[in-house]
Amino acid sequence: MAQPYHPDPGVSEVNVLTATAGHLHQLLDSGRTTSVDLVKLYLDQISKHNHDGMKLNAINAVVPLDVLLEQANALDVERKKSGPRSPLHGIPITLKDFFLTPSFGLETTCGSYALEGLTASEDSAIAVALRDAGCIVIGLANLSEWGNCKGSNLTAGWSAVGGQTQTPYVKDGVDSDDQWLGHSASGSSSGSAVGTTAGFAAFSIGSESDGSIVQPAVRAALYSIKGTVGDVNMKGSMSGGAGFDSAGPLAKSVEDCADVMEVLLPGRDFRSHLTKSWSGLHIAYLDYKTSQFADWICKATPEFDDEHERAMINAMKKIDNLGGKVSYNAPLLMPDAIMEKYGTAKIGALLTHDLAFTFKRFFALFNNPELKSAQDLVDFNNEHANLELPPDHPSQSVLESAAKDTLSHEKYTQDLEYLRKSYRAAVERCFEETGADVIMASGESYLTSIASGAGYPIASVPLGFSSYNGRPHRMEILARNGEEEKMLRVMFAWEASFPEARRPPLLLVEWEKATGPDL
């Protein structure tokens, strides 16, 4: 892990807890800082608070310093000679430890010792696209191991390699009695969210099948987007473009999200949709109580829930007053009701089959002929149980189910196609009855599962902070497939209307004040 570095005084304008990529771009263009200085600054923050300081455990691997400084210097020189490649030129970022990065000097593990020391044969398409845009990938972020595809009742943000990612917003960290969403950083892109809000990078790229970007993002008071399934190139990631997975940014500003999406979905102009006006925007709002997670996912906490619901209703009223239109109690079937009405397959069964063939394809990209299937991974974990199956995280039930998968790929394809149609029919009914542009709901709701089933994009915006435990709360935004532009317009208007919803972690701010700048 990186040791403390002391950047030149010229970088003193940068507060890593608040700096957006857009702000850094301005400083770089004006010559008030350099990418070399930014790299040193972010590495210093990682060194202070990843495994020391607040012990956030948000980063699994960092690129060697000499490699980073050489890359940063080259980008500084290029900026002076020919200008920036994109608004993200020279900006230090992280990727979820889910994307292959062998030529970057990083060893992708997905949080598992099974991949430790192995070499992959190719870089992920996303990593290459971001590098081509001028980004500096400084490290890989911790995650719920295998993207939360390992076992049941595992704490969100835990991996064998990275340990337990901790939220910097809630005092005393993870509550062992509420393992998934309650007090945790949420998952599976846990380290991406925590690292971004803790100043380890300007932004991060996460992946999501069902909530794995948007839920940890707003647990960290960030903005985020999961792109339309199938539109973002997932080649070279653990999912490899499976039926429910996509990727997107976790960032401190909507502008940063738009700039990243222009890299991930080339040829589309997202920035032109960033207007602060609510005029002409129509939102379908889901009732909190009918769309809220079941207790087994996130234990109901009246002290949090009541305050969160009031904040959402007040936000909707403010949007109404600012020229937008809100349809309350929007008619959207929840997943169980969709399955009952249309007779769809269970998403869990399809995800299990996804895993079975995904592992075969992913393992083929590594130089270990003994690791070929989900069963091989199950066997590895059993043989290294002291590392992979410790007493507090003993389950690999999801992997075991994938290893026993017997669903034919033909049947899987048929069931997935019908499930897509069914979920989209439910969403379209909501849009048609309300006339809305997007659907918004609590971040504690099943909207992520609706987006997953439909293959639609979903985004999140911060809303405020609970007086119960300081945990951020938020809302999520769903649009039709390929309509990221509408989500970004809503997000930008939201950012202008609710600037107080985004703030750095007070626990981390207070830590820095108490320890002084030279720790």
Side-chain angles (χ1 to χ4, degrees), residues 54 167-176 178 180-186 218-220 288 298-308 444 464-474 503-508 510:
M54 289 198 70
T167 170
Y169 282 96
V170 179
K171 190 175 181 181
D172 300 325
V174 172
D175 181 347
S176 60
D178 197 4
W180 186 240
L181 290 175
H183 290 71
S184 76
S186 191
V218 188
R219 286 302 174 92
Y288 185 39
C298 185
K299 185 167 57 180
T301 308
E303 299 93 332
F304 176 90
D305 296 336
D306 293 346
E307 185 177 38
H308 179 36
E444 314 290 322
F465 302 85
S466 169
S467 60
Y468 166 62
N469 63 357
R471 185 182 103 193
H473 48 79
R474 79 288 201 186
R503 73 177 183 219
L506 293 181
L507 294 175
L508 193 50
E510 292 168 358

Tab-separated table of all heavy atoms in Angstrom, residues 54 167-176 178 180-186 218-220 288 298-308 444 464-474 503-508 510:
chain	number	residue	atom	x	y	z
A	54	MET	N	-8.899	6.064	9.698
A	54	MET	CA	-10.268	5.574	9.877
A	54	MET	C	-10.443	4.125	9.439
A	54	MET	O	-11.519	3.548	9.617
A	54	MET	CB	-11.247	6.470	9.111
A	54	MET	CG	-11.428	7.843	9.744
A	54	MET	SD	-12.938	8.682	9.170
A	54	MET	CE	-14.214	7.679	9.954
A	167	THR	N	-18.203	2.421	6.321
A	167	THR	CA	-18.732	3.719	5.938
A	167	THR	C	-18.136	4.803	6.827
A	167	THR	O	-18.038	4.623	8.048
A	167	THR	CB	-20.261	3.768	6.051
A	167	THR	OG1	-20.692	5.121	5.878
A	167	THR	CG2	-20.746	3.254	7.393
A	168	PRO	N	-17.726	5.935	6.253
A	168	PRO	CA	-17.207	7.031	7.076
A	168	PRO	C	-18.313	7.944	7.605
A	168	PRO	O	-18.019	8.978	8.202
A	168	PRO	CB	-16.305	7.781	6.096
A	168	PRO	CG	-16.957	7.579	4.775
A	168	PRO	CD	-17.568	6.198	4.818
A	169	TYR	N	-19.567	7.575	7.391
A	169	TYR	CA	-20.678	8.416	7.835
A	169	TYR	C	-21.296	7.953	9.146
A	169	TYR	O	-21.869	8.756	9.883
A	169	TYR	CB	-21.775	8.459	6.769
A	169	TYR	CG	-21.456	9.375	5.616
A	169	TYR	CD1	-20.899	8.878	4.451
A	169	TYR	CD2	-21.682	10.751	5.701
A	169	TYR	CE1	-20.584	9.716	3.382
A	169	TYR	CE2	-21.378	11.600	4.643
A	169	TYR	CZ	-20.833	11.077	3.492
A	169	TYR	OH	-20.523	11.909	2.444
A	170	VAL	N	-21.228	6.652	9.441
A	170	VAL	CA	-21.899	6.110	10.620
A	170	VAL	C	-20.854	5.727	11.657
A	170	VAL	O	-19.974	4.910	11.393
A	170	VAL	CB	-22.763	4.887	10.261
A	170	VAL	CG1	-23.433	4.320	11.506
A	170	VAL	CG2	-23.807	5.268	9.220
A	171	LYS	N	-20.981	6.293	12.825
A	171	LYS	CA	-20.033	6.017	13.900
A	171	LYS	C	-20.066	4.545	14.272
A	171	LYS	O	-21.131	3.927	14.314
A	171	LYS	CB	-20.364	6.876	15.124
A	171	LYS	CG	-19.296	6.841	16.216
A	171	LYS	CD	-19.641	7.799	17.341
A	171	LYS	CE	-18.554	7.789	18.418
A	171	LYS	NZ	-18.881	8.700	19.541
A	172	ASP	N	-18.906	3.973	14.500
A	172	ASP	CA	-18.735	2.571	14.898
A	172	ASP	C	-18.961	1.588	13.749
A	172	ASP	O	-18.906	0.381	13.942
A	172	ASP	CB	-19.644	2.188	16.078
A	172	ASP	CG	-19.372	3.039	17.314
A	172	ASP	OD1	-18.193	3.383	17.529
A	172	ASP	OD2	-20.326	3.371	18.024
A	173	GLY	N	-19.226	2.100	12.546
A	173	GLY	CA	-19.229	1.255	11.359
A	173	GLY	C	-20.362	0.255	11.289
A	173	GLY	O	-21.479	0.509	11.754
A	174	VAL	N	-20.054	-0.906	10.724
A	174	VAL	CA	-21.070	-1.909	10.402
A	174	VAL	C	-21.716	-2.469	11.663
A	174	VAL	O	-21.042	-2.791	12.631
A	174	VAL	CB	-20.447	-3.055	9.575
A	174	VAL	CG1	-21.438	-4.192	9.402
A	174	VAL	CG2	-19.983	-2.538	8.229
A	175	ASP	N	-23.031	-2.566	11.614
A	175	ASP	CA	-23.799	-3.216	12.676
A	175	ASP	C	-23.947	-4.685	12.296
A	175	ASP	O	-24.579	-5.012	11.291
A	175	ASP	CB	-25.165	-2.540	12.787
A	175	ASP	CG	-26.034	-3.140	13.890
A	175	ASP	OD1	-25.687	-4.220	14.391
A	175	ASP	OD2	-27.049	-2.521	14.231
A	176	SER	N	-23.376	-5.578	13.077
A	176	SER	CA	-23.379	-7.002	12.734
A	176	SER	C	-24.781	-7.597	12.701
A	176	SER	O	-25.012	-8.649	12.111
A	176	SER	CB	-22.508	-7.785	13.728
A	176	SER	OG	-23.002	-7.634	15.046
A	178	ASP	N	-27.321	-6.091	11.309
A	178	ASP	CA	-28.005	-5.575	10.118
A	178	ASP	C	-26.985	-5.554	8.995
A	178	ASP	O	-26.478	-4.523	8.597
A	178	ASP	CB	-28.550	-4.174	10.399
A	178	ASP	CG	-29.600	-3.755	9.382
A	178	ASP	OD1	-29.946	-4.579	8.521
A	178	ASP	OD2	-30.055	-2.603	9.455
A	180	TRP	N	-26.691	-6.128	5.726
A	180	TRP	CA	-26.668	-5.731	4.330
A	180	TRP	C	-26.751	-4.222	4.143
A	180	TRP	O	-25.817	-3.578	3.712
A	180	TRP	CB	-27.776	-6.434	3.550
A	180	TRP	CG	-27.654	-6.135	2.090
A	180	TRP	CD1	-28.566	-5.526	1.293
A	180	TRP	CD2	-26.518	-6.390	1.256
A	180	TRP	NE1	-28.078	-5.378	0.023
A	180	TRP	CE2	-26.822	-5.909	-0.030
A	180	TRP	CE3	-25.268	-6.965	1.478
A	180	TRP	CZ2	-25.936	-5.987	-1.103
A	180	TRP	CZ3	-24.389	-7.057	0.413
A	180	TRP	CH2	-24.720	-6.570	-0.859
A	181	LEU	N	-27.853	-3.601	4.513
A	181	LEU	CA	-28.000	-2.189	4.180
A	181	LEU	C	-27.998	-1.249	5.377
A	181	LEU	O	-27.612	-0.100	5.249
A	181	LEU	CB	-29.306	-1.979	3.397
A	181	LEU	CG	-29.324	-2.557	1.984
A	181	LEU	CD1	-30.712	-2.390	1.387
A	181	LEU	CD2	-28.306	-1.858	1.115
A	182	GLY	N	-28.439	-1.722	6.525
A	182	GLY	CA	-28.707	-0.819	7.636
A	182	GLY	C	-27.617	0.167	7.971
A	182	GLY	O	-27.738	1.360	7.758
A	183	HIS	N	-26.511	-0.292	8.533
A	183	HIS	CA	-25.425	0.582	8.950
A	183	HIS	C	-24.201	0.434	8.050
A	183	HIS	O	-23.192	1.085	8.269
A	183	HIS	CB	-25.012	0.261	10.395
A	183	HIS	CG	-26.022	0.646	11.422
A	183	HIS	ND1	-27.207	-0.029	11.572
A	183	HIS	CD2	-26.040	1.643	12.340
A	183	HIS	CE1	-27.899	0.525	12.564
A	183	HIS	NE2	-27.214	1.528	13.035
A	184	SER	N	-24.292	-0.420	7.065
A	184	SER	CA	-23.118	-0.724	6.252
A	184	SER	C	-22.935	0.281	5.129
A	184	SER	O	-23.777	1.148	4.891
A	184	SER	CB	-23.248	-2.130	5.658
A	184	SER	OG	-24.175	-2.113	4.573
A	185	ALA	N	-21.822	0.132	4.405
A	185	ALA	CA	-21.584	0.946	3.213
A	185	ALA	C	-22.426	0.465	2.052
A	185	ALA	O	-22.424	1.078	0.990
A	185	ALA	CB	-20.094	0.888	2.844
A	186	SER	N	-23.152	-0.629	2.234
A	186	SER	CA	-23.932	-1.296	1.206
A	186	SER	C	-22.989	-1.887	0.154
A	186	SER	O	-21.779	-1.780	0.244
A	186	SER	CB	-24.952	-0.340	0.594
A	186	SER	OG	-25.866	-1.050	-0.222
A	218	VAL	N	-25.319	6.305	-2.630
A	218	VAL	CA	-25.972	7.291	-1.776
A	218	VAL	C	-25.746	7.009	-0.303
A	218	VAL	O	-25.912	7.878	0.528
A	218	VAL	CB	-27.454	7.433	-2.131
A	218	VAL	CG1	-28.094	8.591	-1.392
A	218	VAL	CG2	-27.579	7.701	-3.620
A	219	ARG	N	-25.305	5.797	0.047
A	219	ARG	CA	-24.794	5.594	1.410
A	219	ARG	C	-23.539	6.442	1.624
A	219	ARG	O	-23.117	6.656	2.752
A	219	ARG	CB	-24.461	4.118	1.639
A	219	ARG	CG	-25.679	3.227	1.810
A	219	ARG	CD	-26.531	3.701	2.988
A	219	ARG	NE	-27.774	2.966	3.088
A	219	ARG	CZ	-27.942	1.882	3.801
A	219	ARG	NH1	-26.938	1.378	4.489
A	219	ARG	NH2	-29.119	1.299	3.851
A	220	ALA	N	-22.979	6.918	0.507
A	220	ALA	CA	-21.801	7.780	0.576
A	220	ALA	C	-22.119	9.195	0.104
A	220	ALA	O	-21.222	9.980	-0.181
A	220	ALA	CB	-20.671	7.193	-0.270
A	288	TYR	N	-43.644	5.100	-0.425
A	288	TYR	CA	-42.528	4.500	0.312
A	288	TYR	C	-42.906	3.157	0.914
A	288	TYR	O	-42.190	2.161	0.763
A	288	TYR	CB	-42.086	5.474	1.404
A	288	TYR	CG	-40.865	5.059	2.200
A	288	TYR	CD1	-39.778	4.425	1.589
A	288	TYR	CD2	-40.776	5.324	3.563
A	288	TYR	CE1	-38.655	4.068	2.315
A	288	TYR	CE2	-39.658	4.984	4.298
A	288	TYR	CZ	-38.604	4.348	3.673
A	288	TYR	OH	-37.486	4.002	4.387
A	298	CYS	N	-33.397	-5.168	4.486
A	298	CYS	CA	-32.986	-4.015	5.298
A	298	CYS	C	-34.001	-3.829	6.417
A	298	CYS	O	-35.156	-3.482	6.159
A	298	CYS	CB	-32.904	-2.755	4.435
A	298	CYS	SG	-32.282	-1.307	5.316
A	299	LYS	N	-33.569	-4.077	7.610
A	299	LYS	CA	-34.452	-4.049	8.769
A	299	LYS	C	-35.104	-2.679	8.936
A	299	LYS	O	-34.429	-1.654	8.927
A	299	LYS	CB	-33.660	-4.404	10.021
A	299	LYS	CG	-34.485	-4.534	11.288
A	299	LYS	CD	-33.675	-5.189	12.388
A	299	LYS	CE	-32.388	-4.450	12.708
A	299	LYS	NZ	-31.612	-5.080	13.780
A	300	ALA	N	-36.427	-2.663	9.049
A	300	ALA	CA	-37.153	-1.406	9.230
A	300	ALA	C	-36.695	-0.720	10.511
A	300	ALA	O	-36.572	-1.346	11.568
A	300	ALA	CB	-38.653	-1.667	9.282
A	301	THR	N	-36.422	0.577	10.392
A	301	THR	CA	-36.001	1.378	11.530
A	301	THR	C	-36.848	2.637	11.542
A	301	THR	O	-36.588	3.579	10.787
A	301	THR	CB	-34.510	1.758	11.428
A	301	THR	OG1	-33.735	0.592	11.195
A	301	THR	CG2	-34.036	2.454	12.688
A	302	PRO	N	-37.912	2.682	12.353
A	302	PRO	CA	-38.841	3.819	12.309
A	302	PRO	C	-38.146	5.171	12.455
A	302	PRO	O	-38.530	6.144	11.798
A	302	PRO	CB	-39.791	3.540	13.479
A	302	PRO	CG	-39.769	2.050	13.611
A	302	PRO	CD	-38.363	1.643	13.280
A	303	GLU	N	-37.108	5.229	13.311
A	303	GLU	CA	-36.420	6.497	13.515
A	303	GLU	C	-35.804	7.017	12.213
A	303	GLU	O	-35.723	8.223	11.982
A	303	GLU	CB	-35.310	6.357	14.570
A	303	GLU	CG	-35.808	5.936	15.941
A	303	GLU	CD	-35.760	4.424	16.146
A	303	GLU	OE1	-35.857	3.697	15.134
A	303	GLU	OE2	-35.632	3.987	17.299
A	304	PHE	N	-35.351	6.085	11.375
A	304	PHE	CA	-34.792	6.460	10.074
A	304	PHE	C	-35.894	6.590	9.026
A	304	PHE	O	-35.956	7.568	8.276
A	304	PHE	CB	-33.776	5.410	9.619
A	304	PHE	CG	-33.221	5.656	8.240
A	304	PHE	CD1	-32.081	6.418	8.065
A	304	PHE	CD2	-33.840	5.130	7.122
A	304	PHE	CE1	-31.572	6.655	6.795
A	304	PHE	CE2	-33.348	5.351	5.846
A	304	PHE	CZ	-32.200	6.133	5.687
A	305	ASP	N	-36.779	5.606	8.970
A	305	ASP	CA	-37.755	5.519	7.890
A	305	ASP	C	-38.709	6.707	7.869
A	305	ASP	O	-39.010	7.257	6.795
A	305	ASP	CB	-38.555	4.224	8.001
A	305	ASP	CG	-37.685	2.986	7.833
A	305	ASP	OD1	-36.624	3.106	7.204
A	305	ASP	OD2	-38.074	1.912	8.331
A	306	ASP	N	-39.212	7.106	9.036
A	306	ASP	CA	-40.182	8.210	9.077
A	306	ASP	C	-39.538	9.513	8.602
A	306	ASP	O	-40.142	10.280	7.843
A	306	ASP	CB	-40.735	8.372	10.497
A	306	ASP	CG	-41.582	7.188	10.937
A	306	ASP	OD1	-41.964	6.376	10.069
A	306	ASP	OD2	-41.847	7.065	12.153
A	307	GLU	N	-38.334	9.761	9.059
A	307	GLU	CA	-37.623	10.973	8.657
A	307	GLU	C	-37.325	10.952	7.155
A	307	GLU	O	-37.471	11.960	6.460
A	307	GLU	CB	-36.324	11.086	9.458
A	307	GLU	CG	-35.546	12.359	9.223
A	307	GLU	CD	-34.300	12.434	10.097
A	307	GLU	OE1	-33.654	11.388	10.296
A	307	GLU	OE2	-33.979	13.537	10.561
A	308	HIS	N	-36.942	9.789	6.652
A	308	HIS	CA	-36.629	9.626	5.231
A	308	HIS	C	-37.871	9.886	4.375
A	308	HIS	O	-37.813	10.596	3.364
A	308	HIS	CB	-36.092	8.209	5.008
A	308	HIS	CG	-35.752	7.878	3.599
A	308	HIS	ND1	-35.201	8.786	2.720
A	308	HIS	CD2	-35.858	6.719	2.892
A	308	HIS	CE1	-34.992	8.211	1.548
A	308	HIS	NE2	-35.404	6.962	1.625
A	444	GLU	N	-34.368	2.872	-0.469
A	444	GLU	CA	-34.655	1.687	0.336
A	444	GLU	C	-35.780	0.879	-0.309
A	444	GLU	O	-36.545	0.212	0.387
A	444	GLU	CB	-35.062	2.101	1.757
A	444	GLU	CG	-34.196	3.155	2.409
A	444	GLU	CD	-32.815	2.639	2.768
A	444	GLU	OE1	-32.704	1.482	3.189
A	444	GLU	OE2	-31.847	3.407	2.631
A	464	GLY	N	-30.276	13.688	1.920
A	464	GLY	CA	-30.017	14.282	3.227
A	464	GLY	C	-29.363	13.278	4.146
A	464	GLY	O	-28.860	12.241	3.705
A	465	PHE	N	-29.402	13.582	5.439
A	465	PHE	CA	-28.695	12.777	6.422
A	465	PHE	C	-29.599	12.526	7.617
A	465	PHE	O	-30.256	13.432	8.126
A	465	PHE	CB	-27.405	13.486	6.859
A	465	PHE	CG	-26.479	13.763	5.721
A	465	PHE	CD1	-26.635	14.905	4.938
A	465	PHE	CD2	-25.477	12.872	5.389
A	465	PHE	CE1	-25.810	15.152	3.868
A	465	PHE	CE2	-24.639	13.108	4.320
A	465	PHE	CZ	-24.801	14.254	3.551
A	466	SER	N	-29.614	11.280	8.055
A	466	SER	CA	-30.487	10.890	9.150
A	466	SER	C	-29.979	11.431	10.480
A	466	SER	O	-28.791	11.325	10.792
A	466	SER	CB	-30.567	9.362	9.209
A	466	SER	OG	-31.203	8.939	10.393
A	467	SER	N	-30.892	11.986	11.261
A	467	SER	CA	-30.513	12.411	12.613
A	467	SER	C	-30.383	11.207	13.541
A	467	SER	O	-29.847	11.312	14.644
A	467	SER	CB	-31.558	13.381	13.164
A	467	SER	OG	-32.834	12.757	13.225
A	468	TYR	N	-30.853	10.043	13.070
A	468	TYR	CA	-30.791	8.810	13.860
A	468	TYR	C	-29.356	8.300	13.978
A	468	TYR	O	-28.884	7.997	15.073
A	468	TYR	CB	-31.689	7.766	13.209
A	468	TYR	CG	-31.501	6.346	13.695
A	468	TYR	CD1	-31.745	6.000	15.022
A	468	TYR	CD2	-31.080	5.351	12.811
A	468	TYR	CE1	-31.573	4.697	15.455
A	468	TYR	CE2	-30.916	4.048	13.241
A	468	TYR	CZ	-31.154	3.721	14.562
A	468	TYR	OH	-30.991	2.434	14.998
A	469	ASN	N	-28.640	8.210	12.857
A	469	ASN	CA	-27.267	7.701	12.928
A	469	ASN	C	-26.313	8.389	11.950
A	469	ASN	O	-25.177	7.953	11.790
A	469	ASN	CB	-27.240	6.180	12.677
A	469	ASN	CG	-27.731	5.808	11.283
A	469	ASN	OD1	-28.143	6.659	10.501
A	469	ASN	ND2	-27.690	4.518	10.983
A	470	GLY	N	-26.769	9.461	11.307
A	470	GLY	CA	-25.899	10.190	10.388
A	470	GLY	C	-25.824	9.602	8.996
A	470	GLY	O	-25.161	10.160	8.115
A	471	ARG	N	-26.489	8.472	8.794
A	471	ARG	CA	-26.432	7.792	7.502
A	471	ARG	C	-27.123	8.619	6.426
A	471	ARG	O	-28.227	9.107	6.629
A	471	ARG	CB	-27.115	6.440	7.641
A	471	ARG	CG	-27.041	5.563	6.419
A	471	ARG	CD	-27.806	4.282	6.677
A	471	ARG	NE	-29.102	4.306	6.003
A	471	ARG	CZ	-30.077	3.444	6.243
A	471	ARG	NH1	-29.931	2.525	7.163
A	471	ARG	NH2	-31.200	3.509	5.589
A	472	PRO	N	-26.494	8.787	5.264
A	472	PRO	CA	-27.184	9.488	4.178
A	472	PRO	C	-28.409	8.697	3.710
A	472	PRO	O	-28.430	7.475	3.758
A	472	PRO	CB	-26.124	9.533	3.068
A	472	PRO	CG	-24.811	9.360	3.770
A	472	PRO	CD	-25.109	8.440	4.913
A	473	HIS	N	-29.428	9.426	3.282
A	473	HIS	CA	-30.549	8.779	2.602
A	473	HIS	C	-30.698	9.422	1.235
A	473	HIS	O	-30.150	10.474	0.958
A	473	HIS	CB	-31.837	8.812	3.424
A	473	HIS	CG	-32.202	10.144	4.005
A	473	HIS	ND1	-32.799	11.149	3.279
A	473	HIS	CD2	-32.055	10.627	5.263
A	473	HIS	CE1	-33.019	12.190	4.068
A	473	HIS	NE2	-32.576	11.908	5.275
A	474	ARG	N	-31.512	8.771	0.364
A	474	ARG	CA	-31.449	9.177	-1.021
A	474	ARG	C	-32.674	8.735	-1.798
A	474	ARG	O	-33.534	8.032	-1.278
A	474	ARG	CB	-30.211	8.593	-1.699
A	474	ARG	CG	-30.311	7.130	-2.132
A	474	ARG	CD	-30.302	6.156	-1.041
A	474	ARG	NE	-29.905	4.795	-1.511
A	474	ARG	CZ	-29.939	3.752	-0.754
A	474	ARG	NH1	-30.327	3.860	0.489
A	474	ARG	NH2	-29.574	2.570	-1.192
A	503	ARG	N	-22.580	16.282	1.112
A	503	ARG	CA	-21.513	16.847	1.938
A	503	ARG	C	-20.550	15.730	2.307
A	503	ARG	O	-20.912	14.556	2.332
A	503	ARG	CB	-22.076	17.505	3.192
A	503	ARG	CG	-22.589	16.536	4.237
A	503	ARG	CD	-23.076	17.238	5.493
A	503	ARG	NE	-23.494	16.278	6.510
A	503	ARG	CZ	-24.536	16.424	7.306
A	503	ARG	NH1	-25.294	17.501	7.216
A	503	ARG	NH2	-24.825	15.503	8.217
A	504	PRO	N	-19.289	16.088	2.582
A	504	PRO	CA	-18.310	15.057	2.945
A	504	PRO	C	-18.616	14.474	4.315
A	504	PRO	O	-19.373	15.056	5.100
A	504	PRO	CB	-16.983	15.824	2.938
A	504	PRO	CG	-17.351	17.237	3.199
A	504	PRO	CD	-18.692	17.434	2.544
A	505	PRO	N	-18.046	13.312	4.617
A	505	PRO	CA	-18.326	12.666	5.912
A	505	PRO	C	-17.824	13.501	7.085
A	505	PRO	O	-16.633	13.805	7.166
A	505	PRO	CB	-17.544	11.346	5.815
A	505	PRO	CG	-17.261	11.157	4.359
A	505	PRO	CD	-17.150	12.510	3.766
A	506	LEU	N	-18.729	13.848	7.982
A	506	LEU	CA	-18.333	14.669	9.122
A	506	LEU	C	-17.325	13.956	10.004
A	506	LEU	O	-16.436	14.595	10.592
A	506	LEU	CB	-19.573	15.059	9.935
A	506	LEU	CG	-20.563	16.000	9.250
A	506	LEU	CD1	-21.730	16.306	10.183
A	506	LEU	CD2	-19.874	17.294	8.827
A	507	LEU	N	-17.440	12.632	10.134
A	507	LEU	CA	-16.481	11.888	10.947
A	507	LEU	C	-15.070	12.042	10.398
A	507	LEU	O	-14.096	12.174	11.151
A	507	LEU	CB	-16.863	10.410	10.996
A	507	LEU	CG	-18.166	10.048	11.713
A	507	LEU	CD1	-18.459	8.558	11.559
A	507	LEU	CD2	-18.097	10.430	13.191
A	508	LEU	N	-14.946	12.042	9.084
A	508	LEU	CA	-13.636	12.183	8.452
A	508	LEU	C	-13.142	13.626	8.545
A	508	LEU	O	-11.954	13.872	8.794
A	508	LEU	CB	-13.711	11.742	6.992
A	508	LEU	CG	-12.403	11.523	6.222
A	508	LEU	CD1	-11.447	10.625	7.000
A	508	LEU	CD2	-12.705	10.929	4.863
A	510	GLU	N	-13.899	15.724	10.935
A	510	GLU	CA	-13.493	15.922	12.335
A	510	GLU	C	-12.173	15.228	12.634
A	510	GLU	O	-11.343	15.733	13.398
A	510	GLU	CB	-14.593	15.407	13.263
A	510	GLU	CG	-15.860	16.250	13.211
A	510	GLU	CD	-17.044	15.593	13.895
A	510	GLU	OE1	-16.878	14.438	14.380
A	510	GLU	OE2	-18.125	16.199	13.932
